[in-house]
């Protein structure tokens, strides 16, 4: 049975959803008011497709199963799942989601790719079936990274979440159902904490962007690819595990090792961050770096699966 994903907004994230759905053998209908959107999307898919082929395409997968339409109503009329990806402005998202809710069959799940807004803030103008409007937050590149955070709002019932889980699993995603609403959900809050500390280290002249990235890539990042934060620290406690680790290192949590609040983005700090990143890029284009990242992720995902084969669904581990 063929599925149809309807994508509203085709920036980097929207195009990532399109590429993933096509690779899973879905039909995709897309809407974006920008006349240049179709050409941009097809170039994106062409760039992503070699990595998707390496990961393995579903039967019937083809870039030709993408259709652009010229109205939002047409885009959602036959959808099995709708994914909204408009810019991160609350009023705009509420406006678009209300229009999608009004046009779509009330049984169809509407996922918002928002990285920060709570679903209860997105639902109020959706009068037909507000409970089916949820947060479905992915990670870039969406066509390779499997995590999607699912967050229900005040109007959302368990049945909505269960249907959403099944649909995103059909897209070969790993749904993580967030237990309660919070700005930034789970993963972005963790990433933002590291990001704030990294900006302070640059701002205070402690390290360059390249040195900070090296600290992550050759240290904690390698461990996190397999075990995450808590299991990594569990191993740090030796045979007694996490309890011993907290007894040993728990007092360090009270030490002033964190700045907590982000530094002010002065022109000087912005220049240092930008210049550092350009130095790291070493003249390579974003497209070249995209290919390098994707090739790495394809191999890394295979490696994670090899060492964590039982992790078929995140719900079994959360």
């Amino acid at each position: 049975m063929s599925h149809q994903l309807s994508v509203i907004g085709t920036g980097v994230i929207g195009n990532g959803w399109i590429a993933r759905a096509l690779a899973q053998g879905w039909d995709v209908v897309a809407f974006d008011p920008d006349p240049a959107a179709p050409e941009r999307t097809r170039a994106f898919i062409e760039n992503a497709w070699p990595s998707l082929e390496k990961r393995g395409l579903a039967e019937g997968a083809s870039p030709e199963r993408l259709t652009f339409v010229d109205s939002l109503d047409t885009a959602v009329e036959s959808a099995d799942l709708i994914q909204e990806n408009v810019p991160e402005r609350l009023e705009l998202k509420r406006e678009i989601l209300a229009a999608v809710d009004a046009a779509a069959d009330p049984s169809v799940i509407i996922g918002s790719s928002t990285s920060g807004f709570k679903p209860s803030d997105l639902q109020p103008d959706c009068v037909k079936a507000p409970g089916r409007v949820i947060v479905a937050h992915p990670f870039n590149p969406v066509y390779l990274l499997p995590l999607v955070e699912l967050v229900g709002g005040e109007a959302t019932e368990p049945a909505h979440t269960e249907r959403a889980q099944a649909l995103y699993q059909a897209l070969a995603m790993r749904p993580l159902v967030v237990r309660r609403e919070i700005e930034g959900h789970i993963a972005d809050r963790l990433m933002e904490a590291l990001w704030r500390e990294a900006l302070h280290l640059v701002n205070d002249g402690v390290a360059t962007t390249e040195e900070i990235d090296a600290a992550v890539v050759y240290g904690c990042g390698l461990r996190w690819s397999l075990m995450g934060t808590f299991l990594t620290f569990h191993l740090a406690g030796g045979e007694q595990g996490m309890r011993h680790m907290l007894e040993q290192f728990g007092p360090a949590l009270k030490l002033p090792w964190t700045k907590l609040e982000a530094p002010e983005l002065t022109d000087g700090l912005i220049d240092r961050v930008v210049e550092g990143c350009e130095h790291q890029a070493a003249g390579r284009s974003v497209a070249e770096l995209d290919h390098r990242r994707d090739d790495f992720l394809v191999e890394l995902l295979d490696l994670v699966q090899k060492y964590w084969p039982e992790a078929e669904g995140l719900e079994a581990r959360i």
Side-chain angles (χ1 to χ4, degrees), residues 170-191:
L171 282 170
M173 301 294 283
R174 305 286 197 192
L176 168 56
V177 177
V178 180
R179 296 174 184 273
R180 62 185 180 89
E181 295 182 86
I182 186 172
E183 292 87 349
H185 325 312
I186 296 174
D188 268 8
R189 293 181 75 94
L190 296 172
M191 290 189 295

Side-chain angles (χ1 to χ4, degrees), residues 51 54 144 290-300:
S51 295
K54 292 176 185 175
L144 289 180
D290 277 345
H291 277 298
R292 184 169 179 252
R293 175 203 64 196
D294 290 357
D295 288 345
F296 173 80
L297 287 174
V298 166
E299 294 186 39
L300 182 60

Side-chain angles (χ1 to χ4, degrees), residues 5-306:
L5 175 68
S6 293
V7 174
I8 309 300
T10 58
V12 171
I13 299 301
N15 283 336
W17 280 115
I18 290 172
R20 173 174 281 273
L22 292 172
Q24 293 304 315
W26 287 39
D27 294 313
V28 179
V29 178
F31 170 71
D32 192 307
D34 183 354
E39 181 180 356
R40 187 173 59 238
T41 295
R42 296 190 192 282
F44 184 100
I45 294 168
E46 183 178 356
N47 186 65
W49 207 252
S51 295
L52 290 165
E53 287 179 319
K54 292 176 185 175
R55 285 292 292 158
L57 300 175
E59 184 178 354
S62 170
E64 300 305 314
R65 297 181 73 166
L66 167 64
T67 303
F68 265 84
V69 295
D70 57 9
S71 78
L72 185 149
D73 288 6
T74 305
V76 304
E77 63 184 5
S78 300
D80 294 300
L81 175 65
I82 301 167
Q83 192 72 28
E84 169 274 310
N85 315 278
V86 302
E88 197 80 347
R89 300 197 299 272
L90 182 57
E91 291 308 313
L92 175 62
K93 283 192 177 287
R94 285 178 62 159
E95 176 187 344
I96 296 300
L97 287 168
V100 172
D101 174 64
D105 185 283
S107 67
V108 178
I109 295 294
I110 303 171
S112 173
S113 294
T114 179
S115 59
F117 296 130
K118 296 190 294 185
S120 289
D121 294 333
L122 301 174
Q123 293 175 343
D125 298 330
C126 301
V127 296
K128 182 191 283 187
R132 48 79 177 264
V133 178
I134 64 170
V135 166
H137 174 232
F139 296 82
N140 187 44
V142 181
Y143 53 90
L144 289 180
L145 295 184
L147 182 65
V148 58
E149 295 179 311
L150 301 182
V151 194
E154 292 175 2
T156 303
E157 298 177 359
H160 294 123
T161 304
E162 290 168 10
R163 284 197 292 123
Q165 279 184 275
L167 285 163
Y168 287 103
Q169 285 172 338
L171 282 170
M173 301 294 283
R174 305 286 197 192
L176 168 56
V177 177
V178 180
R179 296 174 184 273
R180 62 185 180 89
E181 295 182 86
I182 186 172
E183 292 87 349
H185 325 312
I186 296 174
D188 268 8
R189 293 181 75 94
L190 296 172
M191 290 189 295
E192 285 292 322
L194 181 60
W195 176 231
R196 287 191 294 269
E197 293 301 317
L199 288 174
H200 274 294
L201 291 170
V202 172
N203 195 49
D204 296 344
V206 174
T208 66
T209 61
E210 187 172 23
E211 290 162 350
I212 292 167
D213 281 359
V216 174
V217 170
Y218 299 110
C220 52
L222 289 171
R223 300 182 303 193
W224 289 343
S225 293
L226 180 66
M227 293 188 175
T229 305
F230 283 97
L231 198 54
T232 293
F233 281 145
H234 177 65
L235 269 61
E239 290 298 322
Q240 298 175 57
M242 178 61 83
R243 185 171 300 280
H244 180 64
M245 184 273 177
L246 289 173
E247 291 171 352
Q248 275 298 90
F249 300 104
L253 295 172
K254 298 293 186 180
L255 297 176
W257 284 4
T258 177
K259 297 279 190 174
L260 291 179
E261 294 184 1
E264 183 180 353
L265 282 178
T266 62
D267 290 342
L269 177 55
I270 291 171
D271 288 344
R272 289 166 76 177
V273 171
V274 170
E275 289 166 8
C277 291
E278 289 175 349
H279 172 74
Q280 288 176 258
R284 291 169 292 198
S285 68
V286 169
E288 289 177 285
L289 293 171
D290 277 345
H291 277 298
R292 184 169 179 252
R293 175 203 64 196
D294 290 357
D295 288 345
F296 173 80
L297 287 174
V298 166
E299 294 186 39
L300 182 60
L301 286 165
D302 289 341
L303 191 61
V304 170
Q305 182 64 29
K306 175 182 176 181

